[in-house]
Amino acid sequence: MLYYQQNVVKKGCTPQDKPMDRIEAMRAFVTVVSEGTFTRAAERLKISPQLVSKYVSQLETHLGVRLLNRTTRRIHLTEAGTHYHQRAQQVLNDIDDMENQLGNLQAEAQGLLRISAPVSFAIRHMAPLLSEFQKKHPAVGIDLQLNDRKVDILEEGFDIALRIGHLKSSSLIAKRLAPVRLVLCASPAYLEQYGTPRRPEDLREHKYLRYSYMNMDPGHSLQKWLQDSSRENTRGMISNNGDVLIEAAIAGTGIALQPTFIAGSAVKEGKLKVILPEHEPEPMALYAVYAHRQLLASKVRSFIDFIDGFFGEPPYWDRFE
């Protein structure tokens, strides 16, 4: 009886006001059947015989049927009890299996990791990252979806989204991974033919290869002249893909404002030249965005830890100067 009193105090309630826990009551009933007596069932469950008896009585009241016939020496299953026992045992087994599986997921990174990432960044930089990650975590599968729109992580079932920009506050968790530098660039052939801009206002006379998703600070020194160039020069180009614009710039079509994770290799190889570097916009950043900080699935936590610092500081695509 002393054990039972200690147990009740620990739970913060009395036998009279404690509501029935259906799973615990079911477990008590199944254990009584397997052990043959309330006393042995109590010993196995580490609770008092009185509480075991109460659980079984509450379960019978809840179901509206007698599950056990009790005598002074032993217990007998009723017909209803026999049917209920079979199903209850299966339910408890399923619960134990589920909890064990979830425990394993937390202990070892495994399962399918769904990632959303921007198109150009993923094509150029995600394959080595994911390959190295899977070498370290072979039990994790990857489902990488490329899209430049802002996906709804919860609604669309993603574990992580990689996003580029200046993130606004939200209920999501965002981890900064790397700076994203924007540069104005053009091919040497284009600059030789049309001249190299020395001031932002010189851009008005040039062809601008505009990225349709670009959001620049309206007060930035480049914004007015790039807008005027785009508005007045109907021979320019607009696209929702930065790789297309960089290839057009390499071909001598015009001047592009693009992140260095796209343009950096062409600048390093001399195919593009950076112009007006002193007027670059403030760097943006690459973020990993996910839904929760607590009880994070091991596959998500492992990926966040792995990608943190993977690209270097400064990132390797900025090492062209």
Side-chain angles (χ1 to χ4, degrees):
M1 189 63 173
L2 178 60
Y3 181 91
Y4 177 48
Q5 290 171 343
Q6 290 174 335
N7 188 59
V8 169
V9 171
K10 184 177 180 182
K11 295 294 185 181
C13 56
T14 66
Q16 288 74 27
D17 64 14
K18 184 177 180 181
M20 182 184 71
D21 183 323
R22 290 175 65 183
I23 299 299
E24 289 304 315
M26 187 184 298
R27 195 178 297 279
F29 166 71
V30 168
T31 306
V32 168
V33 174
S34 63
E35 295 295 325
T37 70
F38 284 83
T39 301
R40 286 201 296 268
E43 291 174 354
R44 180 174 167 185
L45 294 171
K46 294 183 171 58
I47 59 177
S48 70
Q50 294 89 338
L51 185 55
V52 174
S53 179
K54 180 180 179 181
Y55 273 145
V56 175
S57 296
Q58 286 181 329
L59 189 59
E60 289 177 324
T61 300
H62 174 74
L63 297 172
V65 296
R66 180 175 290 278
L67 300 174
L68 297 171
N69 286 321
R70 303 155 175 86
T71 66
T72 55
R73 295 194 175 188
R74 57 182 303 180
I75 61 170
H76 301 274
L77 282 169
T78 64
E79 181 180 1
T82 299
H83 289 294
Y84 185 79
H85 177 261
Q86 293 173 347
R87 300 297 296 273
Q89 183 67 71
Q90 184 60 54
V91 168
L92 293 173
N93 288 342
D94 289 344
I95 290 173
D96 290 342
D97 287 345
M98 176 183 65
E99 291 180 347
N100 288 335
Q101 290 174 7
L102 290 176
N104 290 336
L105 283 175
Q106 287 301 103
E108 177 186 354
Q110 58 181 282
L112 183 65
L113 183 67
R114 297 197 72 232
I115 305 171
S116 172
V119 177
S120 293
F121 182 84
I123 289 173
R124 289 175 174 263
H125 303 288
M126 288 293 287
L129 165 71
L130 296 179
S131 177
E132 290 299 316
F133 175 74
Q134 287 195 300
K135 287 178 183 177
K136 189 172 182 179
H137 301 283
V140 178
I142 302 294
D143 178 3
L144 176 65
Q145 299 294 318
L146 308 189
N147 205 314
D148 285 333
R149 69 177 174 83
K150 184 179 177 181
V151 300
D152 188 316
I153 294 177
L154 296 177
E155 287 291 328
E156 299 181 50
F158 287 103
D159 297 299
I160 298 173
L162 299 187
R163 291 181 180 165
I164 294 169
H166 302 287
L167 295 192
K168 299 178 181 178
S169 60
S170 75
S171 60
L172 300 175
I173 309 301
K175 182 175 183 61
R176 184 181 180 277
L177 301 175
V180 175
R181 177 186 173 191
L182 293 169
V183 293
L184 269 176
C185 53
S187 70
Y190 175 89
L191 296 175
E192 183 178 349
Q193 181 175 356
Y194 297 101
T196 300
R198 303 298 179 187
R199 303 170 301 169
E201 48 266 42
D202 294 341
L203 294 171
R204 190 170 186 172
E205 307 301 323
H206 287 267
K207 298 177 183 178
Y208 177 40
L209 310 177
R210 185 164 71 91
Y211 180 57
S212 55
Y213 293 156
M214 181 70 69
N215 291 317
M216 194 187 303
D217 182 353
H220 193 274
S221 59
L222 294 179
Q223 177 68 355
K224 177 182 184 305
W225 306 107
L226 291 177
Q227 278 187 336
D228 287 349
S229 173
S230 180
R231 186 181 301 115
E232 294 180 12
N233 193 336
T234 57
R235 295 175 299 165
M237 182 184 296
I238 181 172
S239 175
N240 64 353
N241 182 267
D243 280 290
V244 170
L245 297 176
I246 285 298
E247 290 302 319
I250 291 172
T253 306
I255 295 174
L257 177 64
Q258 284 294 304
T260 50
F261 67 75
I262 299 178
S265 59
V267 173
K268 187 173 183 179
E269 294 167 8
K271 297 177 181 179
L272 293 175
K273 291 184 66 175
V274 174
I275 59 177
L276 298 175
E278 65 277 15
H279 293 280
E280 286 179 12
E282 284 295 315
M284 299 184 293
L286 171 70
Y287 295 90
V289 179
Y290 50 101
H292 305 288
R293 192 186 302 276
Q294 296 180 338
L295 297 178
L296 200 60
S298 184
K299 62 182 179 181
V300 178
R301 188 189 323 110
S302 297
F303 184 78
I304 296 296
D305 291 343
F306 186 84
I307 198 173
D308 186 20
F310 182 86
F311 302 114
E313 186 69 40
Y316 62 78
W317 53 74
D318 276 347
R319 300 168 195 166
F320 55 78
E321 294 179 329

